Amino acid sequence: MRLFLLAVFFSCSCVRGGCEPKIVNIGAVLSQKRYEQVFKDAVTQANQIYGREKFKLTAISVTHKPNAIQMALSVCEDLISSQVYAILVSHPPQSNDHLTPTPVSYTAGFYRIPVVGLTTRMSIYSDKSIHLSFLRTVPPYSHQAHVWFDMMREFHWNHIILIVSDDHEGRAAQKRLETLLEERETKAEKVLQFNQETNLTALLLEAKELEARVIILSASEEDAASVYKAAGFLNMTGSGYVWLVGEREMSGKALSAAPDGLIGLQLINGKNESAHINDAVAVVAQSIQELFEKENITEPPRGCVGNTNIWKTGPLFKRVLMSSKYPEGLTGRVEFNDDGDRKYAHYSILNYQRAKLIQVGIYNGTQVVLNKQRKIIWPGGQTETPRGFQMSTRLKIVTIHQEPFVYVKPTMLDGTCKEEFTPNGVLIKKVICTGPNETIPGRPIVPQCCYGFCIDLLIKLAMTMNFTYEVHLVADGKFGTQERVNNSNKKEWNGMMGELLGGLADMIVAPLTINNERAQYIEFSKPFKYQGLTILVKKEIPRSTLDSFMQPFQSTLWLLVGLSVHVVAVMLYLLDRFSPFGRFKVNSEEEEEDALTLSSAMWFSWGVLLNSGIGEGAPRSFSARILGMVWAGFAMIIVASYTANLAAFLVLDRPEERITGINDPRLRNPSDKFIYATVKQSSVDIYFRRQVELSTMYRHMEKHNYESAAEAIQAVRDNKLHAFIWDSAVLEFEASQKCDLVTTGELFFRSGFGIGMRKDSPWKQNVSLAILSSHENGFMEDLDKTWVRYQECDSRSNAPATLTFENMAGVFMLVAGGIAAGIFLIFIEIAYKRHKDARKKQMQLAFAAVNVWRKNLQDNKEPSGSQVVGAAATPSLPSSSVETQDDRKSGRAEADPKKKASFRSISTSLASSIKRRRASKDTQYPPTDITGQLNLSDPSVSTVV
């Protein structure tokens, strides 16, 4: 209830006496005293329009002081102490460093009090890291680049040379213009910076050698005057040239040295301080009205002494000011960009004719509008618009080492190239090309010899289009792709693309793939070679082993064949053994033949299988011969099948392709077991990065990509890389030259190689026409046959396949094994035979000894019998003789010891005699008779006995 009564009382008091509006002070630092009244009048007018009941603007102004310290003290004591909401500051009449608005910007910016510049155009005030609260009703000098850019578009000038002073103003203008050119997908042919120590004559001579004839100059008055004098000395201000400059470059000292035909700019109302004061006050008043509609508005700081607190509402007020729009200003439409600079500024386009500046058009903030009633007089007094370029007949060509399109070889000691010939006997045309030598540490730039497909094409184009050239190799060895600069969002081209766009080259003559990314920045000729992408892998050359002749059959089949041989041999033996017709006589006088033995059956079975011919040991019975014929048929089928498969394995063997193409599962589902890659930052890399369905493959390839195609190809040969994806023309050539490589799969991403030029190149149409003509007259076909289709490995593969020693080494080893086995067995046979003969001779000697002993017994028996008949003459027989006879009768008589000794002596004598004969070289044995017994009638035997 009390709150309600207070509100009623307050409203009634406002009705009776009226609510006093809030006093809002606005400060100003003006160039002269006479503008103080203009400022007060502008504030009074703003009070009539804005915030009549909520606030009232009050003007507090000072003029520029002689030095920066006094200026800063004046801002603190006269303006900030009065709690100003904003400060307007004009540029001093003279552009002296100590009279710039910098002290005002620094002092007010410390407390976050907005500062509105009136006539200050230096680009340094756009840097918000230095001038925190600064904004202005005029654009900086660097914004003149928008007018230059629109004039280029108006007159269709694509070749420009930008000459800027090496200071903040020049760099700002350069950056602004380059940003606009990038949006147009073009670039200045050359940017030349200079300072006080630069030789301007040498600088302009460099510009004179370029094709561009449109020169844009950004410099101070003094520097611009020096440039004009040097250009006039070099005849660069005459017919065919265009000079575009800004406001500084055509005022004061610069204007006195400016050449006729100069095109310059002048900001409309740029120096009208009164108009800018009115527009600035209106914008501030409009912004304060919008600010007071917000809540929590704090008071500005009061003074600088002992006060280090910033104005909390200051940043908010600055944002309100920058977002404000004042369309009906005296200087035109007033708006600010993100840097606080004036947008949509209006410029007069002036032409310097006969020492006078004539307005020939305007820039209305968005486009150039020329006054058709006033003709522009160009340098040299011409009235026709210059083309803006001069076709240079000396072109800088950039290329890259990529066989067979460009070969790079070192020069000879005298600096010339060695004469070489193609396989067809044609002399190879070579040119000197400068570039980094990869074989020397540090990669120094040295002259080298270049030749190949693209060099022959360049020579042909030069003859057709009547130009000369100098060739150099790309410095970084790359084709060209966009990469981020210092991890920022800005991207720049590297490789040959970067050199072309940077003005280091006029033309790219190399196997440069035509794609959308590159075509947005450069102009491609018609393709001189159509191709696609393919995959290079290493051939799976089968390694012949010693058992390669056994490959036609599996081991199981070999075992079954071997088992069948022995089973059939046993069956033949049994059938012939038990058959009643297994043995027979040829005629009645001959003895009956023996049946087939087991060893003969084995020999027959193996002989039929190996087709070695059967001499003896054939089966005799009808049943065994039936089985033999069946076995012969089996052997014929087995041998024929083996021969056919042996030819397939050894003669017609071709390695299978490891992968089927781009859709092979090993490519689509990558793993570390199968590594594939391409070249970093190449068109192939761009292709895989752009295709969403190939993103998995790209992530795998990104980790393994190589710096160059040559390195990747060598990695495939060294088994470090399983597959390499690259241009089909290059890979097919490599596969034809290196027989351990092969391309696989169908082509994909079909494209072509083209010659690259800048968008504004005057040669682009003529080059395309020359290439089309070369296709029609067969010149391209000849180049293709000479450099690309010269294939060694394919001719070898088309020749009839022949067996090598590696294929049949196992067979030779089998023969060698058979020989070794035969030699081993013959020694066993000889040893066995000698052992058997020795046993036999021992038995013969034993039988001979026994026979001798028996004969001696018989000889001894006959005298004994005569003594029995004459018993009367002999008194008695020894007891031993009687016992012997009795024992012989009973079969139990023991031998006489003397006889035993006689037998042993004979045996010992025979054995020792035989040993002596063996030890001697005489190998004759004691003579034997036909029954194998010793021939005792031989003197040698009887002597031994």
Side-chain angles (χ1 to χ4, degrees):
M1 186 66 180
R2 291 179 181 177
L3 292 175
F4 176 72
L5 292 175
L6 287 173
V8 172
F9 174 77
F10 180 76
S11 61
C12 292
S13 63
C14 286
V15 171
R16 289 194 305 267
C19 291
E20 293 294 330
K22 182 177 179 58
I23 301 300
V24 176
N25 295 326
I26 300 178
V29 179
L30 305 173
S31 62
Q32 298 178 13
K33 276 281 186 180
R34 62 189 179 93
Y35 291 115
E36 291 185 355
Q37 187 60 43
V38 176
F39 175 56
K40 292 178 181 179
D41 294 341
V43 171
T44 302
Q45 185 179 359
N47 282 329
Q48 297 175 0
I49 300 174
Y50 303 102
R52 294 180 180 179
E53 298 179 354
K54 292 185 179 181
F55 63 88
K56 181 181 179 180
L57 301 177
T58 302
I60 302 175
S61 63
V62 296
T63 57
H64 279 285
K65 304 304 177 185
N67 57 62
I69 297 176
Q70 292 181 7
M71 189 71 259
L73 290 174
S74 177
V75 171
C76 284
E77 295 173 357
D78 300 330
L79 300 180
I80 297 179
S81 61
S82 301
Q83 292 185 298
V84 292
Y85 277 68
I87 299 176
L88 278 61
V89 58
S90 64
H91 199 79
Q94 302 297 327
S95 300
N96 297 325
D97 292 340
H98 63 281
L99 294 178
T100 61
T102 301
V104 181
S105 175
Y106 281 174
T107 305
F110 178 80
Y111 296 101
R112 303 300 189 270
I113 299 174
V115 178
V116 181
L118 301 178
T119 55
T120 302
R121 301 189 60 189
M122 304 303 292
S123 299
I124 188 65
Y125 292 96
S126 300
D127 189 349
K128 290 301 170 278
S129 63
I130 301 175
H131 301 277
L132 302 177
S133 302
F134 195 90
L135 62 159
R136 49 188 165 184
T137 59
V138 291
Y141 287 122
S142 60
H143 279 211
Q144 294 174 138
H146 291 272
V147 188
W148 296 334
F149 179 75
D150 202 63
M151 290 186 68
M152 290 172 55
R153 185 166 50 188
E154 177 71 22
F155 292 110
H156 306 288
W157 293 328
N158 297 316
H159 297 70
I160 66 165
I161 301 171
L162 182 59
I163 303 177
V164 298
S165 57
D166 190 13
D167 55 18
H168 190 278
E169 203 63 46
R171 288 190 292 269
Q174 175 187 345
K175 182 179 179 181
R176 179 74 62 174
L177 184 59
E178 286 180 342
T179 302
L180 295 171
L181 292 174
E182 285 181 3
E183 295 175 358
R184 194 182 175 185
E185 299 175 358
T186 185
K187 198 172 185 179
E189 185 173 353
K190 193 73 175 179
V191 177
L192 301 174
Q193 291 185 346
F194 69 95
N195 51 36
Q196 298 295 331
E197 300 177 356
T198 302
N199 187 338
L200 293 178
T201 302
L203 185 78
L204 293 175
L205 278 175
E206 184 179 355
K208 191 175 183 180
E209 294 177 355
L210 302 173
E211 292 183 355
R213 289 295 179 265
V214 178
I215 301 175
I216 298 177
L217 177 63
S218 175
S220 63
E221 292 182 14
E222 294 79 6
D223 291 339
S226 301
V227 171
Y228 294 150
K229 292 177 182 178
F233 178 75
L234 296 174
N235 295 324
M236 294 180 65
T237 59
S239 178
Y241 283 91
V242 177
W243 285 83
L244 285 180
V245 298
E247 190 166 339
R248 294 184 304 160
E249 297 81 11
M250 59 180 305
S251 59
K253 297 179 181 179
L255 186 60
S256 61
D260 284 344
L262 184 77
I263 301 293
L265 306 176
Q266 190 175 70
L267 181 65
I268 298 177
N269 293 318
K271 298 180 180 179
N272 190 347
E273 190 170 341
S274 299
H276 283 285
I277 290 173
N278 281 276
D279 289 348
V281 170
V283 170
V284 171
Q286 178 180 310
S287 300
I288 290 176
Q289 180 177 357
E290 183 179 350
L291 179 67
F292 273 33
E293 294 176 359
K294 301 180 182 298
E295 299 178 357
N296 300 325
I297 304 301
T298 61
E299 293 293 328
R302 184 186 297 274
C304 302
V305 179
N307 185 8
T308 58
N309 297 324
I310 66 172
W311 183 26
K312 294 183 180 179
T313 309
L316 175 61
F317 187 26
K318 179 194 171 186
R319 290 195 298 270
V320 174
L321 279 169
M322 292 177 62
S323 63
S324 62
K325 298 178 181 180
Y326 186 58
E328 299 177 355
L330 297 179
T331 58
R333 179 181 176 184
V334 181
E335 288 186 29
F336 305 97
N337 61 15
D338 294 338
D339 294 327
D341 297 327
R342 173 78 174 267
K343 295 196 302 183
Y344 307 115
H346 291 198
Y347 291 88
S348 294
I349 301 175
L350 304 177
N351 182 215
Y352 192 59
Q353 303 176 8
R354 298 182 181 90
K356 292 182 180 180
L357 291 175
I358 306 297
Q359 183 176 347
V360 293
I362 62 169
Y363 179 76
N364 60 12
T366 57
Q367 63 181 358
V368 171
V369 179
L370 296 176
N371 188 347
K372 296 182 180 179
Q373 296 179 356
R374 294 181 180 178
K375 291 186 178 181
I376 299 175
I377 304 299
W378 302 99
Q382 291 186 347
T383 57
E384 185 179 352
T385 303
R387 294 188 304 172
F389 66 89
Q390 180 182 11
M391 292 183 66
S392 174
T393 57
R394 182 71 176 177
L395 301 182
K396 293 176 290 186
I397 308 298
V398 62
T399 187
I400 191 170
H401 182 196
Q402 181 71 81
E403 300 177 3
F405 295 93
V406 179
Y407 290 86
V408 179
K409 302 292 183 183
T411 58
M412 294 191 296
L413 296 178
D414 58 355
T416 60
C417 297
K418 180 181 178 181
E419 288 190 358
E420 294 184 75
F421 296 88
T422 65
N424 300 327
V426 180
L427 179 65
I428 296 176
K429 299 176 182 179
K430 298 183 180 181
V431 299
I432 298 295
C433 56
T434 58
N437 192 331
E438 303 292 344
T439 61
I440 302 177
R443 304 174 72 245
I445 305 299
V446 296
Q448 302 179 76
C449 295
C450 292
Y451 62 95
F453 186 105
C454 289
I455 301 302
D456 284 358
L457 177 60
L458 173 62
I459 296 172
K460 176 69 174 179
L461 293 176
M463 294 176 59
T464 304
M465 300 168 59
N466 193 25
F467 67 81
T468 59
Y469 52 83
E470 55 183 22
V471 183
H472 70 273
L473 297 170
V474 61
D476 59 5
K478 298 178 180 178
F479 286 86
T481 186
Q482 286 182 306
E483 59 182 4
R484 297 186 183 274
V485 180
N486 298 326
N487 296 324
S488 64
N489 292 328
K490 183 180 179 181
K491 293 184 177 181
E492 291 185 355
W493 285 92
N494 57 18
M496 293 188 293
M497 289 285 297
E499 291 194 8
L500 180 66
L501 295 173
L504 299 178
D506 301 314
M507 191 179 295
I508 300 175
V509 182
L512 185 66
T513 303
I514 302 173
N515 58 27
N516 294 331
E517 286 79 3
R518 292 170 178 166
Q520 292 176 4
Y521 292 86
I522 68 171
E523 189 74 26
F524 278 102
S525 67
K526 295 295 182 182
F528 61 81
K529 174 71 177 174
Y530 292 93
Q531 55 96 44
L533 298 184
T534 189
I535 305 169
L536 183 74
V537 297
K538 190 172 184 180
K539 280 184 180 179
E540 292 184 357
I541 301 176
R543 299 295 179 184
S544 297
T545 58
L546 296 179
D547 62 344
S548 58
F549 68 95
M550 300 185 69
Q551 290 180 357
F553 290 167
Q554 291 183 351
S555 56
T556 305
L557 184 57
W558 281 117
L559 291 175
L560 291 175
V561 170
L563 180 63
S564 301
V565 171
H566 295 85
V567 169
V568 168
V570 171
M571 291 303 300
L572 287 173
Y573 168 72
L574 294 176
L575 290 175
D576 209 60
R577 180 75 176 178
F578 293 103
S579 174
F581 303 103
R583 54 184 66 84
F584 58 92
K585 296 180 180 180
V586 177
N587 50 55
S588 58
E589 297 179 356
E590 294 184 355
E591 295 182 357
E592 189 178 61
E593 291 187 358
D594 294 332
L596 187 69
T597 63
L598 183 60
S599 61
S600 298
M602 288 290 181
W603 181 257
F604 175 83
S605 181
W606 279 107
V608 171
L609 180 64
L610 300 178
N611 196 21
S612 61
I614 307 300
E616 296 179 356
R620 303 302 182 183
S621 65
F622 182 73
S623 58
R625 291 191 175 187
I626 290 295
L627 177 58
M629 288 187 293
V630 173
W631 175 246
F634 171 84
M636 179 187 66
I637 296 172
I638 289 296
V639 170
S641 302
Y642 173 81
T643 304
N645 282 285
L646 183 65
F649 271 90
L650 301 182
V651 180
L652 302 177
D653 188 22
R654 291 288 180 269
E656 297 181 358
E657 296 176 350
R658 299 189 66 178
I659 53 180
T660 58
I662 190 62
N663 294 319
D664 191 277
R666 281 168 289 185
L667 297 182
R668 292 290 185 168
N669 304 304
S671 66
D672 293 335
K673 295 181 179 179
F674 190 86
I675 300 174
Y676 54 94
T678 186
V679 176
K680 293 179 181 178
Q681 300 178 349
S682 62
S683 61
V684 183
D685 187 45
I686 295 173
Y687 169 75
F688 279 93
R689 184 170 66 240
R690 189 177 67 238
Q691 300 296 324
V692 178
E693 64 273 14
L694 303 178
S695 58
T696 304
M697 296 178 61
Y698 173 74
R699 287 193 296 271
H700 172 82
M701 296 167 62
E702 192 176 17
K703 299 181 294 184
H704 303 98
N705 284 342
Y706 285 79
E707 293 292 339
S708 66
E711 293 180 8
I713 292 171
Q714 188 61 42
V716 174
R717 301 187 71 186
D718 296 339
N719 292 321
K720 297 178 181 178
L721 186 65
H722 297 100
F724 175 51
I725 303 176
W726 193 239
D727 297 325
S728 59
V730 176
L731 295 188
E732 287 172 359
F733 171 79
E734 292 291 341
S736 68
Q737 299 297 306
K738 300 175 177 65
C739 300
D740 57 341
L741 301 176
V742 64
T743 57
T744 179
E746 296 182 355
L747 297 184
F748 60 97
F749 181 45
R750 296 180 181 272
S751 59
F753 293 147
I755 293 177
M757 296 157 284
R758 285 189 293 272
K759 287 283 188 182
D760 52 9
S761 175
W763 297 97
K764 55 187 179 182
Q765 184 175 2
N766 293 336
V767 170
S768 293
L769 292 175
I771 289 177
L772 290 176
S773 176
S774 298
H775 279 295
E776 292 176 358
N777 59 29
F779 178 74
M780 291 298 179
E781 183 71 16
D782 294 340
L783 289 183
D784 209 41
K785 292 178 180 178
T786 302
W787 296 107
V788 181
R789 296 184 185 176
Y790 174 57
Q791 300 175 346
E792 295 181 353
C793 299
D794 286 355
S795 61
R796 298 177 191 175
S797 62
N798 292 331
T802 56
L803 291 177
T804 63
F805 174 74
E806 292 182 356
N807 300 123
M808 303 303 294
V811 179
F812 285 96
M813 292 300 294
L814 183 64
V815 174
I819 294 172
I823 294 173
F824 176 74
L825 291 175
I826 192 62
F827 280 112
I828 293 178
E829 288 180 353
I830 292 172
Y832 175 75
K833 176 63 176 174
R834 286 184 176 180
H835 175 72
K836 188 175 180 180
D837 289 344
R839 297 277 300 186
K840 185 176 181 180
K841 296 306 178 287
Q842 289 179 359
M843 292 300 297
Q844 289 176 349
L845 289 173
F847 283 123
V850 171
N851 291 333
V852 171
W853 178 65
R854 286 179 179 177
K855 186 176 183 201
N856 290 336
L857 287 179
Q858 292 177 359
D859 292 341
N860 292 334
K861 185 178 180 181
E862 290 177 358
S864 299
S866 61
Q867 290 177 2
V868 172
V869 175
T874 303
S876 62
L877 287 173
S879 59
S880 59
S881 299
V882 177
E883 290 175 359
T884 301
Q885 292 177 1
D886 294 339
D887 291 339
R888 191 177 298 165
K889 291 179 182 179
S890 62
R892 295 182 288 104
E894 292 185 0
D896 189 359
K898 293 182 179 180
K899 294 181 180 179
K900 287 183 180 180
S902 176
F903 175 75
R904 290 173 184 170
S905 63
I906 294 173
S907 300
T908 303
S909 299
L910 287 173
S912 60
S913 177
I914 292 173
K915 287 181 180 180
R916 285 193 302 270
R917 289 177 178 272
R918 284 183 178 177
S920 65
K921 293 182 180 180
D922 188 7
T923 57
Q924 293 183 355
Y925 298 109
T928 59
D929 57 14
I930 197 169
T931 61
Q933 303 296 328
L934 285 174
N935 189 358
L936 298 178
S937 62
D938 189 92
S940 62
V941 177
S942 61
T943 301
V944 174
V945 175

